[in-house]
Amino acid sequence: MALLKRIQGPRDLDGLSGPELIALAGEIRTFLVDAVSRSGGHLGPNLGVVELTLALHRVFDSPRDILLWDVGHQCYVHKVLTGRQGGFTGLRAAGGLSGYPSRSESEHDVIENSHASAALSWADGIARAHEVRQVEDRAVVTIVGDGALTGGMAWEALNNIAGAGRPVVVVLNDNGRAYDPTVGGLARHLTALREKPCDGGVFAALGMDYVGPVDGHDIAAMEVALRDARSRGRPVVVHCVTRKGAGYLPSETDPADRHHAIGPFDRHTGVPMTTQPSWTSVFTDEMIKVGNEREDVVAITAAMLGPTGLAPFAEQYPSRCFDVGIAEQHAAAAAAGLAYGGLHPVVAVYATFLNRCFDQVLMDVALHGAGVTFVLDRAGLTGDDGPSHNGMWDLSLLQLVPGLRVAVPRDAAQLRAQLREAIEVRDAPTVVRFPKGAVGTDIEAIERHGPVDVLSRGSRADVLLVGIGPLAGAAVQAGACLAELGIGVTVVDPRWIQPVPAALVSMALAHRAVVVAADSGRAGGPGSLLAQAIRDAGASTPVTELGIPQVFHETAKRARLLADLGLTAEAIVEACRVAVEKGQPS
Ligand SMILES: Cc1ncc(C[n+]2csc(CCOP(=O)(O)OP(=O)(O)O)c2C)c(N)n1
Ligand SMILES: CC(=O)[C@@H](O)[C@H](O)COP(=O)(O)O
Ligand SMILES: [Mg+2]
């Protein structure tokens, strides 16, 4: 690592010879494999941009020149070269290095948002600002993947960039994949451009210059291409061809996704450490069963077949599973079309990415009473993927959607049951949401009233404790503790939280106080909806709403964030104790 130790900032690259750069690339790969094997992270994407990033930092002078990473999951090499090697011992950890660009870490970082297809819009905006402010000596460079180009926002931006003619360098990192091989006509076009360079294809047709295709692993060739692009002073696409996972055989040959996002692994074999059954694996298994029984059920993914658990369904029913690219808006609106065509689409996305298609859920699906089921994985606090990945916005948004129904399973058995209940609904959108990680043991109910499961009852009706989804377990634990303190708690799981079940309101009115614990944003969350329903019933039973505060939460493990935010059994006990003290007289 002799060379890598010499690199404290991008300008330390300037004096290196060709052979030294190649040796440095090797050292960087060793460094990445070692760091990510301990912490987990986006190994494949970063192994694929080692030479590209070296060339970028030799041709452009960051931070005076502005580098904009789309998604930002491929910024590890950029961080290694901008003085943050030491931080990798805490990659994706609380108080450590973010897995995405982070302004608080470095002036070299700009976009912190890990949602794809946005960087080109940033580039257009910055280029416009430079024109208005007559800034002429700062290049605007965006690095965008072929997958990110399948997102609609990217084409909104390209339309503006190409139309305006301002100097923007678009470094297209084309490794032919998102997680899976990139889909659609664009993928075919890029393949054609890679294999038979012509006049720059769609980019030239839009009015941009096109440089390439260039071998993204050939530093010298990349530097020539980037210098050429820089000299043109107008919109230009540099089409770089790279290999995801390059230089580490287990990643480069990983059949699923080239180790796009991998947990801690054995660095000698590339095999991830053992993982427990996840919520996702339960969804995968039940979807296969549903697919066997219901020929009208089809699935849609936005370039995340594996991570959302749909890969086995796609394998078994290839004609009934659609990968639309990183295009959540299209996925939701196409689902409305699929429903109109007599099918029942299951749209599987991460909760945080549902934000992208809120209008389509509202106006294309719900307005038309379309029987579409949205399955939201990574709902609630995800933690190590940083503030833009927490699934904390979905319920706050979805509470606005007329007719939409939301299920939040508490365990595997309920996930299976509620997925089936959801696909039975043919005249309205349904949502089933569950968190990242291992699914706990099943929690039996002692009674059911409408959709509401009673999980335990105390000696008196002091507190109605509503445990939403994965927090039902903590609520049951809290109920038992409170019983020992002489506080009578009824622990319930509403199962379907929207519309608010009438049975839940009735139960609330029969208690002195209500506490709701939910792994979702507090604004417009389950507690807020229940409080509103109680008011609408003319009652004033106080409701304590435990949830995720509406702030951007720094990187930390999910369990750590739940504890920090008071979403544990201990914190629920305290909340209930206080609620009884303040509650209505018995
Ligand atoms: C709106 C949105 N949807 C889904 C994702 C999940 N995601 C992160 S990276 C990625 C694939 C990106 O592919 P590409 O742009 O080609 O970059 P590469 O990983 O190949 O370097 C996806 C689907 C996301 N970050 N944002
Ligand atoms: C960058 C991105 O959006 C995805 O790769 C995401 O980081 C994956 O998250 P999981 O690791 O929870 O599947
Ligand atoms: Mg790609």
Side-chain angles (χ1 to χ4, degrees), residues 297-378:
V297 169
V298 295
I300 301 181
T301 176
M304 297 182 78
L305 207 54
T308 59
L310 283 178
F313 184 91
E315 200 172 317
Q316 190 143 344
Y317 306 107
S319 64
R320 291 162 54 191
C321 190
F322 313 115
D323 179 354
V324 297
I326 309 179
E328 286 83 2
Q329 294 178 330
H330 172 67
L338 284 160
Y340 182 79
L343 298 173
H344 190 110
V346 173
V347 182
V349 294
Y350 282 10
T352 190
F353 301 137
L354 185 85
N355 301 358
R356 272 283 164 89
C357 58
F358 173 71
D359 187 61
Q360 289 74 20
V361 171
L362 183 66
M363 295 301 179
D364 292 292
V365 179
L367 178 68
H368 296 90
V372 175
T373 296
F374 293 89
V375 172
L376 307 183
D377 196 334
R378 277 40 174 199

Coordinates of all heavy atoms in Angstrom, one line a residue, residues 297-378:
V297 N -52.0 -12.6 -11.0 CA -51.0 -11.9 -10.3 C -49.7 -11.8 -11.0 O -49.1 -12.8 -11.5 CB -50.7 -12.5 -8.9 CG1 -49.5 -11.8 -8.2 CG2 -52.0 -12.3 -8.0
V298 N -49.2 -10.5 -11.3 CA -48.0 -10.3 -11.9 C -47.1 -9.4 -11.0 O -47.6 -8.8 -10.0 CB -48.2 -9.6 -13.3 CG1 -48.9 -10.5 -14.2 CG2 -48.9 -8.2 -13.1
A299 N -45.8 -9.3 -11.3 CA -45.0 -8.5 -10.4 C -44.2 -7.5 -11.2 O -43.9 -7.7 -12.4 CB -44.0 -9.4 -9.7
I300 N -43.9 -6.3 -10.6 CA -43.1 -5.3 -11.2 C -42.0 -4.9 -10.2 O -42.2 -4.8 -9.0 CB -43.9 -4.0 -11.5 CG1 -45.1 -4.3 -12.4 CG2 -43.0 -2.9 -12.1 CD1 -45.9 -3.1 -12.7
T301 N -40.8 -4.8 -10.8 CA -39.6 -4.2 -10.0 C -39.0 -3.1 -10.8 O -39.0 -3.0 -12.0 CB -38.5 -5.3 -9.8 OG1 -37.4 -4.7 -9.1 CG2 -38.0 -5.9 -11.2
A302 N -38.4 -2.2 -10.0 CA -37.7 -1.0 -10.6 C -36.2 -1.3 -10.5 O -35.5 -0.7 -9.6 CB -38.1 0.3 -9.9
A303 N -35.8 -2.3 -11.3 CA -34.3 -2.6 -11.3 C -33.8 -3.2 -10.1 O -32.6 -3.2 -9.8 CB -33.5 -1.4 -11.8
M304 N -34.7 -3.8 -9.3 CA -34.2 -4.4 -8.0 C -34.9 -5.8 -7.8 O -35.4 -6.1 -6.7 CB -34.5 -3.4 -6.8 CG -33.8 -2.1 -6.9 SD -34.1 -1.0 -5.5 CE -33.0 -1.7 -4.3
L305 N -34.8 -6.6 -8.8 CA -35.4 -7.9 -8.7 C -34.9 -8.7 -7.5 O -35.7 -9.3 -6.8 CB -35.0 -8.7 -10.0 CG -35.9 -9.8 -10.6 CD1 -37.3 -9.3 -10.8 CD2 -35.3 -10.3 -11.9
G306 N -33.6 -8.7 -7.3 CA -33.0 -9.5 -6.2 C -33.3 -8.9 -4.9 O -33.9 -9.5 -4.0
P307 N -33.0 -7.6 -4.7 CA -33.1 -7.0 -3.3 C -34.6 -7.0 -2.8 O -34.8 -7.1 -1.7 CB -32.6 -5.6 -3.5 CG -31.8 -5.6 -4.7 CD -32.3 -6.7 -5.6
T308 N -35.5 -7.0 -3.8 CA -36.9 -7.0 -3.3 C -37.5 -8.4 -3.2 O -38.7 -8.5 -2.9 CB -37.8 -6.2 -4.3 OG1 -37.7 -6.8 -5.6 CG2 -37.4 -4.7 -4.4
G309 N -36.7 -9.4 -3.6 CA -37.1 -10.8 -3.4 C -37.9 -11.3 -4.5 O -38.5 -12.4 -4.4
L310 N -38.0 -10.6 -5.6 CA -38.8 -11.1 -6.8 C -38.0 -12.0 -7.7 O -38.7 -12.6 -8.6 CB -39.3 -9.9 -7.5 CG -40.5 -9.2 -6.9 CD1 -40.9 -8.0 -7.8 CD2 -41.7 -10.1 -6.7
A311 N -36.8 -12.2 -7.5 CA -36.0 -13.0 -8.5 C -36.5 -14.4 -8.7 O -36.7 -14.9 -9.8 CB -34.5 -13.1 -8.1
P312 N -36.9 -15.2 -7.6 CA -37.4 -16.5 -7.8 C -38.8 -16.5 -8.5 O -39.1 -17.3 -9.3 CB -37.6 -17.0 -6.3 CG -36.6 -16.3 -5.5 CD -36.6 -14.9 -6.1
F313 N -39.6 -15.4 -8.2 CA -40.9 -15.3 -8.9 C -40.6 -15.1 -10.4 O -41.2 -15.7 -11.3 CB -41.7 -14.2 -8.4 CG -43.1 -14.0 -9.0 CD1 -44.2 -14.6 -8.4 CD2 -43.2 -13.2 -10.1 CE1 -45.4 -14.5 -9.0 CE2 -44.5 -13.1 -10.7 CZ -45.6 -13.7 -10.1
A314 N -39.6 -14.3 -10.7 CA -39.3 -14.0 -12.1 C -38.8 -15.3 -12.8 O -39.1 -15.5 -14.0 CB -38.2 -12.9 -12.2
E315 N -38.0 -16.1 -12.1 CA -37.5 -17.3 -12.6 C -38.6 -18.3 -12.9 O -38.6 -18.9 -14.0 CB -36.5 -17.9 -11.6 CG -35.5 -18.9 -12.2 CD -34.5 -19.3 -11.2 OE1 -34.0 -18.4 -10.4 OE2 -34.2 -20.5 -11.1
Q316 N -39.6 -18.3 -12.0 CA -40.7 -19.3 -12.2 C -41.7 -18.8 -13.2 O -42.3 -19.6 -13.9 CB -41.3 -19.6 -10.8 CG -42.3 -20.8 -10.9 CD -42.2 -21.6 -9.6 OE1 -41.3 -21.5 -8.8 NE2 -43.2 -22.5 -9.4
Y317 N -41.9 -17.5 -13.2 CA -42.9 -16.9 -14.1 C -42.4 -15.8 -14.9 O -42.7 -14.6 -14.7 CB -44.1 -16.4 -13.2 CG -44.7 -17.5 -12.3 CD1 -44.5 -17.4 -10.9 CD2 -45.4 -18.5 -12.8 CE1 -45.0 -18.4 -10.1 CE2 -45.9 -19.5 -12.0 CZ -45.7 -19.4 -10.6 OH -46.2 -20.4 -9.8
P318 N -41.4 -16.1 -15.8 CA -40.7 -15.0 -16.5 C -41.7 -14.1 -17.3 O -41.4 -12.9 -17.4 CB -39.8 -15.7 -17.5 CG -40.3 -17.2 -17.5 CD -41.0 -17.4 -16.2
S319 N -42.8 -14.6 -17.7 CA -43.7 -13.7 -18.5 C -44.6 -12.9 -17.6 O -45.4 -12.1 -18.0 CB -44.7 -14.6 -19.4 OG -45.5 -15.4 -18.5
R320 N -44.5 -13.1 -16.3 CA -45.4 -12.3 -15.3 C -44.6 -11.5 -14.4 O -45.0 -11.1 -13.3 CB -46.2 -13.3 -14.6 CG -47.3 -14.0 -15.4 CD -47.8 -15.3 -14.8 NE -48.4 -15.0 -13.4 CZ -48.7 -16.0 -12.6 NH1 -48.5 -17.3 -13.0 NH2 -49.2 -15.8 -11.4
C321 N -43.3 -11.2 -14.7 CA -42.5 -10.4 -13.8 C -41.8 -9.3 -14.7 O -41.1 -9.7 -15.7 CB -41.5 -11.2 -13.1 SG -40.7 -10.2 -11.8
F322 N -42.0 -8.1 -14.4 CA -41.5 -7.0 -15.3 C -40.5 -6.1 -14.6 O -40.8 -5.5 -13.6 CB -42.7 -6.2 -15.8 CG -43.8 -7.0 -16.3 CD1 -45.1 -6.9 -15.6 CD2 -43.7 -7.8 -17.4 CE1 -46.1 -7.7 -16.0 CE2 -44.8 -8.6 -17.8 CZ -46.0 -8.5 -17.1
D323 N -39.3 -6.1 -15.1 CA -38.3 -5.1 -14.6 C -38.3 -3.9 -15.6 O -38.1 -4.0 -16.8 CB -36.9 -5.8 -14.7 CG -35.8 -4.8 -14.2 OD1 -36.1 -3.6 -13.9 OD2 -34.6 -5.2 -14.1
V324 N -38.7 -2.8 -15.0 CA -38.9 -1.6 -15.8 C -37.7 -0.6 -15.8 O -37.8 0.5 -16.3 CB -40.2 -0.8 -15.4 CG1 -41.4 -1.7 -15.6 CG2 -40.2 -0.4 -13.9
G325 N -36.7 -1.0 -15.1 CA -35.5 -0.1 -14.9 C -35.8 0.7 -13.7 O -36.8 0.6 -13.0
I326 N -34.8 1.7 -13.4 CA -35.0 2.5 -12.2 C -36.0 3.6 -12.5 O -35.7 4.7 -12.7 CB -33.6 3.1 -11.8 CG1 -32.5 2.1 -11.7 CG2 -33.7 3.8 -10.4 CD1 -31.2 2.6 -11.4
A327 N -37.3 3.1 -12.5 CA -38.4 3.9 -13.1 C -39.6 3.7 -12.3 O -40.6 3.1 -12.7 CB -38.6 3.6 -14.5
E328 N -39.6 4.1 -11.0 CA -40.7 3.9 -10.1 C -42.0 4.5 -10.6 O -43.1 4.0 -10.4 CB -40.4 4.3 -8.7 CG -39.4 3.4 -8.0 CD -37.9 3.8 -8.3 OE1 -37.7 4.7 -9.1 OE2 -37.0 3.0 -7.8
Q329 N -41.9 5.7 -11.2 CA -43.1 6.4 -11.6 C -43.7 5.6 -12.7 O -44.9 5.4 -12.7 CB -42.7 7.8 -12.2 CG -42.2 8.7 -11.1 CD -41.8 10.1 -11.7 OE1 -41.3 10.2 -12.8 NE2 -41.9 11.1 -10.9
H330 N -42.9 5.1 -13.6 CA -43.5 4.3 -14.7 C -44.0 3.0 -14.2 O -45.1 2.5 -14.6 CB -42.4 4.0 -15.7 CG -42.8 3.0 -16.8 ND1 -43.7 3.3 -17.7 CD2 -42.4 1.7 -17.0 CE1 -43.9 2.2 -18.5 NE2 -43.2 1.2 -18.0
A331 N -43.4 2.4 -13.2 CA -43.8 1.2 -12.6 C -45.2 1.3 -12.0 O -46.1 0.5 -12.3 CB -42.9 0.7 -11.5
A332 N -45.5 2.4 -11.3 CA -46.8 2.6 -10.7 C -47.9 2.9 -11.7 O -49.0 2.3 -11.7 CB -46.7 3.8 -9.7
A333 N -47.5 3.7 -12.7 CA -48.6 4.0 -13.7 C -48.8 2.8 -14.6 O -49.9 2.5 -15.0 CB -48.1 5.2 -14.6
A334 N -47.8 2.1 -14.9 CA -47.9 0.9 -15.8 C -48.8 -0.2 -15.0 O -49.5 -0.9 -15.6 CB -46.6 0.3 -16.1
A335 N -48.6 -0.2 -13.7 CA -49.4 -1.1 -12.8 C -50.9 -0.7 -13.0 O -51.7 -1.6 -13.0 CB -49.0 -1.0 -11.4
A336 N -51.2 0.6 -13.1 CA -52.6 0.9 -13.3 C -53.1 0.4 -14.6 O -54.2 -0.1 -14.7 CB -52.7 2.5 -13.3
G337 N -52.2 0.4 -15.6 CA -52.5 -0.2 -16.9 C -52.7 -1.7 -16.8 O -53.7 -2.2 -17.4
L338 N -51.8 -2.3 -16.1 CA -51.9 -3.8 -15.9 C -53.2 -4.2 -15.2 O -53.9 -5.1 -15.6 CB -50.8 -4.3 -15.1 CG -49.4 -4.4 -15.9 CD1 -48.2 -4.4 -14.9 CD2 -49.4 -5.6 -16.8
A339 N -53.6 -3.4 -14.2 CA -54.9 -3.6 -13.5 C -56.1 -3.4 -14.5 O -57.0 -4.2 -14.5 CB -55.0 -2.8 -12.3
Y340 N -56.0 -2.4 -15.3 CA -57.0 -2.1 -16.3 C -57.2 -3.3 -17.3 O -58.2 -3.6 -17.7 CB -56.7 -0.8 -17.0 CG -57.8 -0.4 -18.0 CD1 -59.0 0.2 -17.6 CD2 -57.6 -0.7 -19.4 CE1 -60.0 0.5 -18.5 CE2 -58.6 -0.4 -20.3 CZ -59.8 0.2 -19.9 OH -60.7 0.6 -20.8
G341 N -56.0 -3.9 -17.5 CA -56.0 -5.0 -18.4 C -56.4 -6.3 -17.8 O -56.3 -7.4 -18.4
G342 N -56.8 -6.3 -16.5 CA -57.4 -7.5 -15.9 C -56.4 -8.3 -15.1 O -56.7 -9.4 -14.7
L343 N -55.3 -7.7 -14.8 CA -54.3 -8.4 -13.9 C -54.2 -7.7 -12.5 O -54.8 -6.6 -12.3 CB -52.9 -8.4 -14.6 CG -52.9 -9.1 -16.0 CD1 -51.5 -8.9 -16.6 CD2 -53.2 -10.6 -15.8
H344 N -53.6 -8.4 -11.6 CA -53.3 -7.8 -10.3 C -51.8 -7.6 -10.1 O -51.1 -8.6 -9.8 CB -53.9 -8.7 -9.2 CG -53.9 -7.9 -7.9 ND1 -55.1 -7.5 -7.2 CD2 -52.9 -7.5 -7.1 CE1 -54.7 -6.8 -6.1 NE2 -53.4 -6.8 -6.0
P345 N -51.3 -6.4 -10.4 CA -49.9 -6.2 -10.2 C -49.4 -6.1 -8.8 O -50.2 -5.5 -8.0 CB -49.6 -4.9 -11.0 CG -51.0 -4.4 -11.4 CD -52.0 -5.3 -10.8
V346 N -48.3 -6.7 -8.5 CA -47.6 -6.5 -7.2 C -46.4 -5.7 -7.5 O -45.5 -6.2 -8.2 CB -47.3 -7.8 -6.5 CG1 -46.4 -7.6 -5.2 CG2 -48.6 -8.5 -6.1
V347 N -46.3 -4.4 -7.0 CA -45.2 -3.5 -7.3 C -44.3 -3.6 -6.1 O -44.7 -3.1 -5.0 CB -45.6 -2.1 -7.6 CG1 -44.4 -1.2 -7.9 CG2 -46.6 -2.0 -8.7
A348 N -43.1 -4.1 -6.2 CA -42.2 -4.3 -5.1 C -41.1 -3.2 -5.2 O -40.3 -3.3 -6.1 CB -41.6 -5.7 -5.0
V349 N -41.0 -2.3 -4.2 CA -40.0 -1.3 -4.2 C -39.6 -1.1 -2.7 O -40.3 -1.5 -1.8 CB -40.5 0.1 -4.8 CG1 -40.8 0.0 -6.2 CG2 -41.7 0.6 -4.0
Y350 N -38.4 -0.5 -2.5 CA -38.0 -0.1 -1.2 C -38.9 1.1 -0.8 O -39.2 2.0 -1.6 CB -36.6 0.3 -1.1 CG -35.6 -0.9 -1.1 CD1 -36.0 -2.1 -1.3 CD2 -34.2 -0.6 -0.8 CE1 -35.1 -3.2 -1.3 CE2 -33.3 -1.7 -0.8 CZ -33.8 -3.0 -1.0 OH -32.9 -4.0 -1.0
A351 N -39.3 1.2 0.5 CA -40.2 2.2 0.9 C -39.7 3.6 0.6 O -40.5 4.4 0.1 CB -40.4 2.1 2.4
T352 N -38.5 3.9 0.7 CA -38.0 5.2 0.4 C -38.1 5.6 -1.0 O -38.3 6.8 -1.4 CB -36.5 5.4 0.9 OG1 -36.2 6.8 0.8 CG2 -35.6 4.6 0.0
F353 N -38.1 4.6 -1.9 CA -38.3 4.9 -3.3 C -39.7 5.1 -3.8 O -40.0 5.5 -4.9 CB -37.5 3.8 -4.2 CG -36.1 3.7 -3.9 CD1 -35.5 2.5 -3.7 CD2 -35.3 4.8 -3.6 CE1 -34.1 2.3 -3.4 CE2 -34.0 4.7 -3.3 CZ -33.4 3.5 -3.2
L354 N -40.6 4.7 -2.9 CA -42.0 5.0 -3.2 C -42.3 6.5 -3.3 O -43.1 7.0 -4.1 CB -43.0 4.4 -2.1 CG -44.5 4.6 -2.5 CD1 -44.9 3.4 -3.3 CD2 -45.3 4.7 -1.2
N355 N -41.4 7.3 -2.7 CA -41.5 8.8 -2.8 C -41.6 9.2 -4.3 O -42.3 10.1 -4.6 CB -40.3 9.5 -2.2 CG -40.1 9.1 -0.7 OD1 -40.9 8.4 -0.1 ND2 -39.1 9.7 -0.1
R356 N -40.8 8.5 -5.0 CA -40.6 8.9 -6.5 C -42.0 8.8 -7.2 O -42.2 9.4 -8.2 CB -39.6 7.9 -7.2 CG -38.2 8.4 -7.1 CD -37.9 9.5 -8.0 NE -36.7 10.2 -7.7 CZ -35.5 9.8 -8.2 NH1 -35.4 8.7 -8.9 NH2 -34.4 10.5 -7.9
C357 N -42.9 7.9 -6.8 CA -44.1 7.7 -7.6 C -45.4 8.0 -6.8 O -46.4 7.4 -7.1 CB -44.1 6.2 -8.1 SG -44.1 5.0 -6.8
F358 N -45.3 8.9 -5.9 CA -46.4 9.2 -5.1 C -47.6 9.7 -6.0 O -48.7 9.3 -5.8 CB -46.1 10.3 -4.0 CG -47.3 10.8 -3.3 CD1 -48.0 10.0 -2.4 CD2 -47.9 12.1 -3.6 CE1 -49.2 10.4 -1.8 CE2 -49.0 12.5 -2.9 CZ -49.7 11.7 -2.0
D359 N -47.3 10.6 -6.9 CA -48.4 11.1 -7.8 C -49.0 10.0 -8.6 O -50.2 10.0 -8.8 CB -47.8 12.2 -8.7 CG -48.9 12.9 -9.5 OD1 -49.8 13.5 -8.9 OD2 -49.0 12.7 -10.7
Q360 N -48.2 9.0 -9.0 CA -48.8 7.9 -9.8 C -49.7 7.0 -8.9 O -50.7 6.6 -9.4 CB -47.7 7.1 -10.5 CG -47.0 7.9 -11.6 CD -46.0 8.9 -11.1 OE1 -45.6 8.9 -9.9 NE2 -45.7 9.9 -12.0
V361 N -49.2 6.8 -7.7 CA -50.0 6.0 -6.7 C -51.4 6.8 -6.5 O -52.5 6.2 -6.6 CB -49.3 5.9 -5.4 CG1 -50.2 5.3 -4.3 CG2 -48.1 5.0 -5.5
L362 N -51.3 8.1 -6.4 CA -52.5 8.9 -6.1 C -53.4 9.0 -7.3 O -54.6 8.6 -7.3 CB -52.1 10.3 -5.6 CG -53.2 11.2 -5.2 CD1 -53.9 10.8 -3.9 CD2 -52.5 12.6 -5.0
M363 N -52.8 9.4 -8.4 CA -53.7 9.8 -9.6 C -53.8 8.7 -10.6 O -54.8 8.7 -11.4 CB -53.1 11.1 -10.2 CG -53.2 12.3 -9.3 SD -54.9 12.6 -8.8 CE -54.6 14.0 -7.7
D364 N -52.9 7.9 -10.8 CA -53.1 6.8 -11.8 C -53.7 5.6 -11.1 O -54.5 4.9 -11.8 CB -51.7 6.4 -12.4 CG -51.2 7.6 -13.3 OD1 -51.8 7.9 -14.3 OD2 -50.2 8.3 -12.8
V365 N -53.3 5.3 -9.9 CA -53.8 4.0 -9.3 C -55.1 4.3 -8.5 O -56.2 3.8 -8.8 CB -52.7 3.4 -8.4 CG1 -53.2 2.1 -7.8 CG2 -51.5 3.1 -9.3
A366 N -54.9 5.1 -7.4 CA -56.1 5.3 -6.5 C -57.3 6.0 -7.1 O -58.4 5.5 -6.9 CB -55.6 6.0 -5.2
L367 N -57.0 7.0 -7.9 CA -58.1 7.7 -8.5 C -59.0 6.8 -9.3 O -60.2 7.0 -9.4 CB -57.6 8.9 -9.4 CG -58.6 9.7 -10.1 CD1 -59.5 10.6 -9.2 CD2 -57.9 10.6 -11.2
H368 N -58.3 5.8 -9.9 CA -59.1 4.9 -10.8 C -59.5 3.6 -10.1 O -59.9 2.7 -10.7 CB -58.2 4.6 -12.0 CG -58.0 5.8 -12.9 ND1 -56.8 6.5 -12.7 CD2 -58.6 6.3 -13.9 CE1 -56.8 7.5 -13.6 NE2 -57.9 7.5 -14.3
G369 N -59.3 3.6 -8.8 CA -59.7 2.4 -8.0 C -59.1 1.1 -8.5 O -59.7 0.1 -8.7
A370 N -57.8 1.3 -8.8 CA -57.1 0.1 -9.4 C -56.6 -0.9 -8.4 O -56.0 -0.5 -7.4 CB -55.9 0.6 -10.3
G371 N -56.8 -2.1 -8.6 CA -56.4 -3.2 -7.7 C -54.9 -3.4 -7.9 O -54.5 -4.4 -8.5
V372 N -54.1 -2.6 -7.3 CA -52.6 -2.8 -7.3 C -52.1 -2.9 -5.9 O -52.5 -2.2 -5.0 CB -52.0 -1.5 -8.0 CG1 -50.4 -1.6 -7.9 CG2 -52.4 -1.3 -9.4
T373 N -51.2 -3.8 -5.7 CA -50.6 -4.0 -4.4 C -49.1 -3.5 -4.4 O -48.3 -4.0 -5.2 CB -50.6 -5.5 -4.0 OG1 -52.0 -5.9 -3.8 CG2 -50.0 -5.7 -2.6
F374 N -48.8 -2.6 -3.5 CA -47.4 -2.1 -3.4 C -46.8 -2.8 -2.2 O -47.3 -2.8 -1.1 CB -47.4 -0.6 -3.2 CG -47.9 0.1 -4.4 CD1 -49.2 0.4 -4.6 CD2 -47.0 0.5 -5.4 CE1 -49.7 1.1 -5.7 CE2 -47.4 1.2 -6.6 CZ -48.8 1.5 -6.7
V375 N -45.7 -3.5 -2.4 CA -45.0 -4.2 -1.3 C -43.7 -3.4 -1.1 O -42.9 -3.2 -1.9 CB -44.6 -5.6 -1.7 CG1 -43.7 -6.3 -0.7 CG2 -45.9 -6.5 -1.8
L376 N -43.7 -2.8 0.1 CA -42.6 -1.9 0.5 C -41.6 -2.5 1.4 O -41.9 -2.7 2.6 CB -43.2 -0.6 1.1 CG -44.3 0.1 0.3 CD1 -44.7 1.4 1.0 CD2 -43.8 0.4 -1.1
D377 N -40.5 -2.9 0.9 CA -39.4 -3.5 1.7 C -38.6 -2.3 2.3 O -38.7 -1.2 1.9 CB -38.6 -4.4 0.8 CG -37.7 -5.4 1.6 OD1 -37.3 -5.0 2.7 OD2 -37.3 -6.4 1.0
R378 N -37.7 -2.6 3.2 CA -36.9 -1.6 3.9 C -37.8 -0.5 4.4 O -37.4 0.7 4.4 CB -35.9 -1.0 2.9 CG -34.6 -1.8 2.7 CD -34.6 -3.2 2.7 NE -33.3 -3.8 2.3 CZ -33.2 -5.0 1.9 NH1 -34.3 -5.8 1.7 NH2 -32.0 -5.6 1.6

